[in-house]
């Protein structure tokens, strides 16, 4: 039985509200701007903060050394993971750009890659695909600041990944079927079902050309009493936010998820590897999250 959500909080996919977790991850990127040694640099992130998030950012920034100490705690591992997955996808985007014709951001949220990497993306179109409330809120905020965001070639496509067909939603958007594409799919898979994730990977294999790359993150359930408690607590928190975890997949089985759809895993980083590559200031990633880049097989 599904329990009622507190404070009238409605489940994300059946409401007109924007994502709370999208706001949380954007706050993390905004806080990172206060550091000299950053995991990511996203100067656009503060634009998308709500009034409560701006207040939280101010309070945390004022806490100074206390915040730096808290960031090294196990409890903060998920926040570090969120920053490191962003960096992982950034790096794969920049590596793939010379070989791709277009960019697709699935579950775009407050993703700013179209603006941060506008020079590198050049004339390539960027298709930002997301739920209508968040897509429309972001579009309005960008449109209100033309001098800040410039004139990136962004096409917004509204979708509910659980019930709607990606190829059908892309039709008429200008997306070139069969074009070599870089796909960023961040912070979405864990809120779906296995069927929805499979359907989306199958759709990507249909609409993207050989050599296309998808970079994304996954949630997994791992051992360890303390860690298990922490992740169960995080999952319960997601339920209260109306954004419950619906899909977890072990990193050891990543090939089995991608291969049936024609993708070869070319890079996989679990928590220890993400920490080694990207984390600064003594921070560490949480084992419950990992990242994957996979390439659509070339035609024989």
């Amino acid at each position: 039985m599904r329990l009622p959500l507190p404070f009238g909080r409605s489940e994300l996919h059946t409401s007109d509200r924007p994502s709370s977790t999208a706001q949380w991850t954007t706050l993390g990127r905004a806080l990172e701007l206060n550091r000299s040694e950053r995991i990511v640099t996203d100067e656009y992130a503060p634009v998308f903060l709500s009034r409560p998030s701006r207040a939280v950012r101010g309070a945390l920034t004022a806490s100074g050394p206390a915040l730096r100490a808290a960031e090294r705690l196990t409890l903060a591992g998920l926040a570090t993971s969120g920053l490191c997955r962003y960096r992982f996808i950034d790096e794969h985007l920049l590596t793939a750009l010379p070989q791709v014709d277009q960019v697709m951001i699935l579950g775009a949220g407050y993703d700013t890659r179209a603006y941060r990497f506008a020079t590198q993306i050049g004339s390539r179109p960027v298709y930002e695909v997301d739920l209508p409330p968040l897509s429309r809120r972001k579009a309005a905020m960008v449109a209100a600041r033309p001098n800040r965001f410039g004139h990136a070639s962004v096409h917004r496509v509204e979708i509910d990944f659980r019930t709607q067909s990606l190829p059908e939603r892309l039709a008429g958007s200008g997306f070139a079927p069969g074009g070599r594409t870089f796909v960023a799919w961040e912070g979405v898979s864990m809120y779906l079902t296995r069927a929805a994730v499979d359907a989306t990977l199958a759709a990507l294999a249909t609409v993207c050309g050989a050599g296309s790359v998808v970079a994304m993150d996954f949630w997994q359930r791992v051992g360890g009493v303390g860690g298990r408690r922490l992740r169960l607590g995080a999952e319960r928190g997601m339920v209260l936010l109306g954004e419950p975890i619906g899909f977890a997949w072990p990193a050891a089985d990543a090939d089995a998820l991608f291969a049936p759809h024609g993708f070869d895993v070319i890079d996989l980083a679990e928590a220890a590897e993400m920490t080694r590559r990207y984390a600064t200031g003594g921070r560490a990633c949480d084992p419950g999250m990992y990242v994957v880049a996979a390439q659509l097989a070339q035609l024989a």
Side-chain angles (χ1 to χ4, degrees):
M1 183 176 102
R2 185 182 292 274
L3 295 174
L5 298 171
F7 314 116
R9 202 68 169 157
S10 54
E11 204 277 341
L12 181 63
H13 289 84
T14 58
S15 72
D16 291 327
R17 67 174 179 85
S19 165
S20 297
T21 52
Q23 189 67 202
W24 174 75
T25 56
T26 306
L27 173 60
R29 300 198 305 276
L31 283 168
E32 198 72 0
L33 293 172
N34 299 327
R35 306 181 69 101
S36 56
E37 294 184 15
R38 301 169 186 162
I39 297 173
V40 296
T41 298
D42 185 353
E43 295 178 351
Y44 297 95
V47 173
F48 298 110
L49 295 182
S50 64
R51 184 175 298 175
S53 293
R54 290 197 299 271
V56 171
R57 183 192 183 199
L60 291 176
T61 299
S63 68
L67 173 62
R68 297 291 173 256
E71 288 173 333
R72 295 190 289 272
L73 298 175
T74 301
L75 187 63
L78 286 173
T80 303
S81 295
L83 293 167
C84 289
R85 75 181 179 190
Y86 206 70
R87 173 76 173 273
F88 175 91
I89 294 173
D90 279 357
E91 290 191 349
H92 278 281
L93 168 63
L94 293 174
T95 298
L97 273 176
Q99 289 81 44
V100 302
D101 307 309
Q102 53 196 357
V103 176
M104 186 192 307
I105 313 292
L106 292 179
Y110 299 116
D111 186 289
T112 63
R113 293 182 175 97
Y115 311 103
R116 289 187 297 123
F117 300 128
T119 299
Q120 295 91 329
I121 291 171
S123 61
R124 297 173 184 84
V126 179
Y127 298 89
E128 293 196 350
V129 185
D130 209 342
L131 291 165
L134 186 49
S135 182
R136 293 171 191 176
R137 182 173 189 267
K138 181 180 181 182
M141 298 176 82
V142 170
R145 298 166 178 82
N147 293 335
R148 182 76 180 269
F149 287 95
H151 302 284
S153 181
V154 176
H155 305 262
R156 304 196 189 280
V157 181
E158 298 179 359
I159 192 172
D160 182 337
F161 289 103
R162 303 181 310 170
T163 61
Q164 295 180 307
S165 159
L166 180 61
E168 289 179 4
R169 299 304 298 165
L170 288 172
S173 69
F175 183 86
R180 188 172 287 199
T181 310
F182 177 84
V183 181
W185 197 14
E186 180 179 4
V188 178
S189 69
M190 60 283 296
Y191 304 115
L192 304 177
T193 62
R194 165 71 189 275
V197 172
D198 268 327
T200 302
L201 290 173
L204 290 174
T206 299
V207 302
C208 298
S212 295
V213 173
V214 56
M216 62 185 297
D217 60 324
F218 290 95
W219 186 266
Q220 66 177 346
R221 296 186 173 99
V222 294
V225 177
R228 188 183 304 118
R229 259 195 220 108
L230 174 63
R231 276 172 285 285
L232 285 173
E235 291 188 23
R236 287 171 184 149
M238 297 299 187
V239 171
L240 295 176
L241 287 173
E243 298 171 34
I245 299 292
F247 175 68
W249 189 262
D253 295 337
D255 283 313
L257 186 65
F258 284 95
H261 306 293
F263 287 93
D264 299 319
V265 173
I266 57 175
D267 191 12
L268 187 152
E270 292 191 68
E273 179 61 15
M274 284 200 290
T275 299
R276 186 192 69 78
R277 290 187 194 181
Y278 310 124
T280 63
R283 292 175 286 179
C285 294
D286 184 90
M289 189 186 295
Y290 66 98
V291 285
V292 176
Q295 186 169 43
L296 191 58
Q298 301 282 350
L299 296 175

